[in-house]
Amino acid sequence: MLDWARKVGKQPNLIVYYAGWGDGFDASGTRNAWNSGAMTVVSWEPRGTTPTRIADGASDSYLRDYAKAVRRLNIPVAISFADEMNGDWEQWGTTGTTPQAYVRAWRHIHDVFEAVGATNVIWTWSPNIVQPGTDKDLSPFYPGDEYVDWVGLIGYFTDWDPHSFDGLFGATLTEIARFSRKPQLLLETAAMPGRHRTQDVRALFQGVTASPDLVGFAWFDYKARADWRLEASPESAAEFRRLGADDLYGFDVRRVR
């Protein structure tokens, strides 16, 4: 967090971490983030199992222990289970399971948490933006408003994408509006280094600022298939820092009512 704060000029108020199936809940890290004014989002990836097995109760002991740890912490935490489920690249995606099995697993996990009393979870359903390799009809994957609190989107500005917020996210937001009015979060986003990056950073901030239903965004600050780190492009990092100085960004989430 301190490294990120030095990069952008203020403390982050949203932190995403990735958890494997079978991992314990990081209560200490989540508490430390909260004490600094940031909320944690757990991106929970069910590798080594299947949505069908989860829905049928094979992981119930693990789920109950996890839910109890979340309940004991007793501060808000967002959980995004099996994101990018509408894509063809994840084990739980369109080539590995069905939308019906995915929805059954989501609802089962939700119900276990409810039964344990872990009501401090913000359930965040997170498809990839509709694009080649994804199912463009998202409604079959949606667990239902009673099981979802936020809609999280995953989408990146790349050299071959439209270099505008609406060009990247607009079709997906329109699709989601057919069946949900839940608040939205850009769970994963970033811009590929190159000549468009500063423009893409500007488009991201303009889009978030102009979208009252968006509660915020998380920049994927890692080197993966591309170098998404802000420091990979000093000019765009400076633009990020300039735009992020607005009071709309980086507020203390503990003070939100």
Side-chain angles (χ1 to χ4, degrees):
M1 287 181 64
L2 290 176
D3 182 55
W4 178 259
R6 284 192 291 268
K7 289 180 190 177
V8 303
K10 60 173 57 175
Q11 285 282 105
N13 63 2
L14 186 71
I15 296 174
V16 180
Y17 84 85
Y18 299 85
W21 201 251
D23 291 352
F25 174 58
D26 184 8
S28 177
T30 302
R31 184 186 301 108
N32 290 341
W34 183 257
N35 289 340
S36 70
M39 193 179 74
T40 295
V41 182
V42 182
S43 182
W44 209 0
E45 300 182 327
R47 303 188 189 281
T49 186
T50 66
T52 296
R53 284 179 52 79
I54 293 170
D56 288 344
S59 298
D60 278 7
S61 178
Y62 166 59
L63 287 174
R64 283 191 292 268
D65 288 345
Y66 200 102
K68 289 174 184 176
V70 172
R71 183 195 66 198
R72 284 194 296 270
L73 186 62
N74 196 31
I75 60 177
V77 56
I79 293 179
S80 174
F81 167 71
D83 58 19
E84 301 178 285
M85 79 302 293
N86 62 314
D88 61 9
W89 52 86
E90 297 287 12
Q91 298 173 11
W92 52 87
T94 55
T95 59
T97 190
T98 64
Q100 293 78 13
Y102 172 82
V103 167
R104 282 185 62 228
W106 180 286
R107 291 177 176 176
H108 183 74
I109 293 168
H110 181 282
D111 290 346
V112 170
F113 274 66
E114 287 286 311
V116 165
T119 57
N120 51 313
V121 176
I122 301 170
W123 294 99
T124 306
W125 176 73
S126 307
N128 199 83
I129 57 171
V130 292
Q131 61 182 22
T134 65
D135 194 316
K136 294 176 174 56
D137 182 3
L138 297 178
S139 59
F141 299 92
Y142 189 60
D145 280 354
E146 65 271 36
Y147 291 93
V148 172
D149 299 302
W150 288 352
V151 170
L153 298 180
I154 297 174
Y156 292 80
F157 292 92
T158 65
D159 287 344
W160 51 89
D161 284 327
H163 299 285
S164 69
F165 186 87
D166 186 62
L168 186 60
F169 294 105
T172 309
L173 292 171
T174 298
E175 164 63 11
I176 289 169
R178 293 193 305 109
F179 55 83
S180 175
R181 293 292 187 274
K182 293 291 184 175
Q184 297 139 10
L185 168 72
L186 302 187
L187 180 71
E188 279 185 31
T189 192
M192 185 176 284
R195 63 190 181 92
H196 294 290
R197 196 183 212 199
T198 300
Q199 173 189 344
D200 293 339
V201 167
R202 195 173 299 123
L204 173 63
F205 275 91
Q206 289 172 345
V208 172
T209 301
S211 303
D213 291 333
L214 273 174
V215 298
F217 71 90
W219 182 275
F220 187 77
D221 200 54
Y222 293 94
K223 186 175 182 180
R225 63 184 178 90
D227 193 347
W228 305 108
R229 297 173 301 170
L230 276 177
E231 64 257 35
S233 175
E235 180 183 350
S236 56
E239 183 70 351
F240 189 105
R241 186 184 182 100
R242 183 183 74 82
L243 295 168
D246 191 301
D247 289 342
L248 183 65
Y249 301 99
F251 53 85
D252 187 332
V253 296
R254 295 171 299 179
R255 298 179 182 176
V256 177
R257 293 291 184 266

